[in-house]
Amino acid sequence: MNQQQLFEQIQKKRSFLCVGLDTDIQKIPQHLKDTSDPIFSFNKEIIDATAEFSVAYKPNLAFYESLGSKGMESLEKTVMYVKSKYPEIFVIADAKRGDIGNTSNLYARAFFDHQDFDAVTVAPYMGEDSVKPFMTYLGKWVILLALTSNKGAYDFQFIEDKESGDKLFETVLKTSQNWGTTENLMYVVGATKAEKLKEIREIVPDHFLLVPGVGAQGGSLQEVAKNGMNSKCGLLVNSSRGIIYASSETDFATKAGAAAEEVQQEMEVLLKEAGLI
């Protein structure tokens, strides 16, 4: 999927919502726990309930890897289900990989050849040769960690280079633009750092940004849109817990759909205000 196709989906659905499939076996409704594959059963219902309001899904790999081979099987079934029933939806592996070139090449093979994700989140700390192997796949995307929403972001990401005056996250943004293009490189920018989006947009005006932290983590959708939108929207805003755990009862999918629709309606207003629909 290229940038224009992604923007067309945003316009069509009047939404830039990414639903995070952070599916915790301990949090899914009790009645699903007796099924042969509780994680996939939960995901399937969530996907069917939210697909009309979402342009992307983002399974976080930790929730699946923690369950061993059964969890990975649930993940594969989830990705295959989206690809077969909702092929227009962008699917992100939230894996935060990044290792020496040969290892990254194998990670890329796992996510793009074996599992058919559209994108994978990658950590930039080891530099260009740890990121480039993911970019050799036509139509696939790297989503590079730039500025995260956790407290520990201040440990390293704001360290300032005395010569250039750039903070480390700004150096990541500036340097990495030489590794890819607006057609295969996005950036993670946490919604709780929405005030920084204006500065980030000055460095990467045309790249898509994946913005987690709206909803349960307290980020403001209005602030993200005000500071982060560009001429093609340029945003995928993720909500996980606020949607998928809207209810823990048998009505969980209905409530998740209603929560996703609520966010979509808010996004529609913001897209209209920006003149993008």
Side-chain angles (χ1 to χ4, degrees):
M1 184 181 290
N2 62 35
Q3 193 184 70
Q4 183 58 31
Q5 288 169 322
L6 190 51
F7 180 45
E8 284 166 7
Q9 283 304 311
I10 289 169
Q11 290 180 307
K12 184 178 177 183
K13 292 189 173 179
R14 297 168 175 259
S15 169
F16 45 99
L17 173 62
C18 173
V19 174
L21 297 174
D22 298 359
T23 308
D24 186 342
I25 191 70
Q26 295 177 350
K27 289 183 180 176
I28 67 173
Q30 191 60 42
H31 73 280
L32 292 178
K33 292 182 182 178
D34 296 327
T35 61
S36 61
D37 189 340
I39 297 291
F40 176 64
S41 298
F42 178 84
N43 285 353
K44 182 176 177 292
E45 290 202 45
I46 292 288
I47 290 161
D48 286 339
T50 60
E52 66 180 295
F53 312 115
S54 313
V55 294
Y57 288 110
K58 182 177 71 64
N60 184 314
L61 269 286
F63 289 87
Y64 302 88
E65 290 174 339
S66 67
L67 300 172
S69 58
K70 274 194 75 68
M72 295 309 290
E73 188 182 327
S74 302
L75 176 65
E76 288 187 24
K77 283 161 70 175
T78 299
V79 177
M80 284 170 62
Y81 184 72
V82 177
K83 289 292 179 182
S84 61
K85 194 165 182 189
Y86 307 103
E88 78 285 357
I89 293 183
F90 196 72
V91 188
I92 300 163
D94 191 359
K96 300 179 181 72
R97 298 301 194 251
D99 206 332
I100 61 169
N102 187 48
T103 311
S104 280
N105 187 47
L106 293 171
Y107 279 135
R109 200 184 299 172
F111 294 118
F112 296 150
D113 281 342
H114 185 63
Q115 296 191 70
D116 199 23
F117 280 97
D118 294 297
V120 60
T121 57
V122 176
Y125 190 75
M126 288 181 70
E128 181 178 9
D129 61 328
S130 70
V131 177
K132 287 295 277 284
F134 295 97
M135 294 178 165
T136 61
Y137 288 78
L138 195 63
K140 304 292 187 179
W141 294 76
V142 163
I143 309 181
L144 205 66
L145 300 179
L147 186 59
T148 58
S149 53
N150 61 312
K151 258 191 274 185
Y154 291 96
D155 290 344
F156 299 119
Q157 293 169 33
F158 287 87
I159 292 173
E160 196 169 300
D161 183 291
K162 285 178 181 165
E163 282 185 32
S164 67
D166 287 341
K167 296 178 180 64
L168 183 57
F169 78 87
E170 294 171 323
T171 302
V172 167
L173 290 165
K174 288 177 181 179
T175 303
S176 63
Q177 285 183 79
N178 300 316
W179 305 346
T181 71
T182 56
E183 291 293 343
N184 65 2
L185 181 61
M186 302 186 189
Y187 294 97
V188 175
V189 180
T192 55
K193 307 284 194 304
E195 74 284 354
K196 293 285 175 192
L197 275 165
K198 225 170 214 157
E199 298 168 36
I200 287 167
R201 272 296 179 217
E202 287 174 17
I203 302 169
V204 287
D206 301 318
H207 287 73
F208 259 85
L209 306 176
L210 172 64
V211 185
V214 164
Q217 290 183 54
S220 161
L221 182 56
Q222 287 81 8
E223 284 299 302
V224 168
K226 184 176 96 178
N227 294 309
M229 265 191 189
N230 64 16
S231 61
K232 288 192 173 177
C233 178
L235 296 171
L236 294 174
V237 171
N238 183 79
S239 179
S240 302
R241 285 169 284 172
I243 290 175
I244 69 173
Y245 300 128
S247 168
S248 59
E249 306 301 324
T250 53
D251 65 349
F252 75 96
T254 305
K255 288 286 173 66
E261 184 176 18
E262 194 177 319
V263 178
Q264 178 271 323
Q265 288 175 344
E266 206 177 327
M267 289 176 168
E268 182 173 352
V269 171
L270 294 166
L271 287 165
K272 281 179 178 171
E273 287 174 355
L276 296 174
I277 55 173

